[in-house]
Amino acid sequence: NTPLRKRATAKGLIYGATSQHRILSSDKKFAARFAQECAILVPEGELKWRTIHPSPNYFNFKPGDWMVEFAHAHGMLFRGHTLVWHGSLPRWFADTVNSRNVEQILLKHITTVAGHYAGKIHSWDVVNEAIHPPHGRTDGLRNTPWLQLLGPNYIDIAFRAAAKADPQALLVYNDFGLDGAAYQDELRRTAVLKLLERLKSVGTPVHALGIQAHWWGGVTRLDSGKLKAFLRDVADLDLKIMITEMDVTDKKLPKDVILRDRIVAGIYEDYLSVVLDEPAVIAVLTWGLSDRYTWLSKYQPRKDRAPVRPLPLDAQLNRKLAWNAIGRAFDNA
Ligand code: G3I
């Protein structure tokens, strides 16, 4: 019955989840359960460009500030997500940013946002999802506005600016598709390692790899050997590892809730038991806490229209088999 945050803390680990200002400020029951289970809060969208930088010369810190307060009022840490991403860019971005002003705009954003929250952030996802091997570059980088306008060095520029603006935060490179046995995942692991090696070799201040861990039930296969070797390679670069966005999509799983929950829980436990075997791993975060609020309801709804069940608590905030599985993984770590 011990909450996940305590079971993780007992092993020197951090458990937490993402949520939103809108949710935590209106759903009191959920907010209370969140504070009970989580030792760290991740804002799901409040610190993304579209929300925090809605026009070129205006920053909207209100929702983020509210969340920092909420976290601190409940003895939780707070994460920054995210400073550089190709997603959730504001509408003004495409019209305004060009190769002449891009570096100045990026630096202003990072200096202002990371500066505003300096000292209050456990870890920043400085750069999010920069790898995409299918784009065909030898370095495996994703073809984003940042890459097009600044070249691969945009990543170094961002980490250096973040380190300057908030010297206390752990600076994270965060990406997905790094967990499975598929060839695609292997390509992504190789590209991420190459990137991290390069950043380290030129002295760019990166401190950790964030592994998103969005699993697809019935699709993603675990190859413990490959996964362990990857984690070790990352740790050998003198980097910490955080599992940053875990959830299990149940779109391809049977409708029967008991069976579905059992499969989802099994995935959490099998994956986390491998991951928590690696001493460089410092945290496990889920992308949401309760099935009441998950991006997957909208992004990966089931064909049979049954509500999705990807997270540790159900929509009524009851603990599921997945909650037990995560707890056991912490206990056995
Ligand atoms: O806030 C507006 C609201 O005013 C409007 O009425 C509504 C209409 O659709 O949209 C709301 O914004 C949505 C926002 O989530 C808040 O719920 C955006 O349309 C929607 O695109 C946005 O989606 C988020 C997505 O990232 C894009 O930023 C998801 O919630 C969020 O879970 C997802 O998170 C990403 C991580 O940042 C990176 N890793 C993958 C992960 C899952 O896709």
Side-chain angles (χ1 to χ4, degrees):
N1 265 348
T2 313
L4 294 179
R5 68 181 283 173
K6 280 203 180 145
R7 291 160 83 173
T9 306
K11 297 297 168 81
L13 297 163
I14 305 171
Y15 172 74
T18 187
S19 190
Q20 300 174 20
H21 162 246
R22 188 179 52 78
I23 296 170
L24 291 171
S25 60
S26 62
D27 187 341
K28 298 288 174 235
K29 261 195 178 153
F30 174 80
R33 291 291 284 119
F34 194 98
Q36 203 173 40
E37 296 287 353
C38 296
I40 188 165
L41 167 62
V42 191
E44 190 168 351
E46 289 78 355
L47 269 51
K48 290 174 181 169
W49 277 64
R50 188 174 290 173
T51 304
I52 210 165
H53 200 166
S55 57
N57 296 308
Y58 174 63
F59 290 87
N60 171 24
F61 293 121
K62 271 210 178 133
D65 287 357
W66 188 94
M67 291 184 87
V68 173
E69 290 277 302
F70 179 86
H72 291 172
H74 295 92
M76 284 186 270
L77 300 167
F78 191 69
R79 278 198 96 227
H81 175 82
T82 169
L83 290 170
V84 185
W85 190 28
H86 58 277
S88 283
L89 287 168
R91 289 180 217 297
W92 60 267
F93 189 88
D95 308 330
T96 313
V97 179
N98 56 49
S99 55
R100 290 178 309 283
N101 63 17
V102 60
E103 182 164 356
Q104 178 222 327
I105 288 173
L106 177 63
L107 289 174
K108 175 176 152 188
H109 179 87
I110 294 178
T111 306
T112 308
V113 175
H116 179 83
Y117 291 107
K120 298 176 178 168
I121 299 276
H122 167 270
S123 46
W124 259 115
D125 288 333
V126 178
V127 176
N128 193 40
E129 303 175 2
I131 293 294
H132 192 64
H135 281 160
R137 296 171 51 98
T138 48
D139 58 12
L141 288 185
R142 182 188 293 270
N143 193 8
T144 68
W146 301 115
L147 183 74
Q148 286 160 18
L149 296 169
L150 276 166
N153 201 35
Y154 82 87
I155 299 174
D156 307 71
I157 294 171
F159 275 97
R160 272 190 232 114
K164 213 168 145 196
D166 186 350
Q168 276 164 262
L170 192 77
L171 303 184
V172 181
Y173 173 73
N174 194 47
D175 216 326
F176 65 88
L178 303 170
D179 319 286
Y183 179 60
Q184 199 51 241
D185 292 37
E186 190 61 16
L187 289 181
R188 297 180 56 85
R189 283 191 287 269
T190 306
V192 164
L193 265 180
K194 229 184 181 171
L195 169 65
L196 295 173
E197 268 163 28
R198 184 186 73 69
L199 296 178
K200 276 296 202 174
S201 73
V202 296
T204 294
V206 55
H207 307 138
L209 171 65
I211 298 179
Q212 292 187 7
H214 292 291
W215 276 72
W216 270 78
V219 179
T220 321
R221 279 184 309 112
L222 179 67
D223 182 327
S224 321
K226 278 197 177 140
L227 183 59
K228 274 188 179 169
F230 174 66
L231 300 173
R232 198 84 289 272
D233 287 345
V234 174
D236 283 343
L237 290 171
D238 201 20
L239 293 167
K240 299 290 183 206
I241 298 166
M242 300 180 71
I243 306 303
T244 49
E245 307 186 9
M246 188 164 188
D247 53 18
V248 180
T249 300
D250 62 1
K251 194 174 186 168
K252 307 275 183 198
L253 297 180
K255 185 168 188 180
D256 181 78
V257 167
I258 296 173
L259 185 56
R260 200 167 6 130
D261 279 4
R262 206 179 286 154
I263 298 171
V264 167
I267 292 170
Y268 273 104
E269 193 158 5
D270 292 348
Y271 178 66
L272 292 180
S273 66
V274 174
V275 159
L276 292 176
D277 211 28
E278 168 54 58
V281 174
I282 58 167
V284 174
L285 317 180
T286 49
W287 202 244
L289 176 66
S290 148
D291 298 337
R292 187 181 289 186
Y293 305 111
T294 160
W295 70 296
L296 294 168
S297 315
K298 181 172 147 196
Y299 284 80
Q300 301 296 346
R302 292 174 56 83
K303 292 226 165 66
D304 59 23
R305 291 169 179 262
V308 299
R309 303 177 63 85
L311 291 167
L313 305 185
D314 70 15
Q316 285 70 48
L317 308 179
N318 298 312
R319 291 162 170 171
K320 292 161 59 190
L321 292 177
W323 182 91
N324 289 320
I326 298 170
R328 262 198 310 273
F330 285 136
D331 297 345
N332 296 331

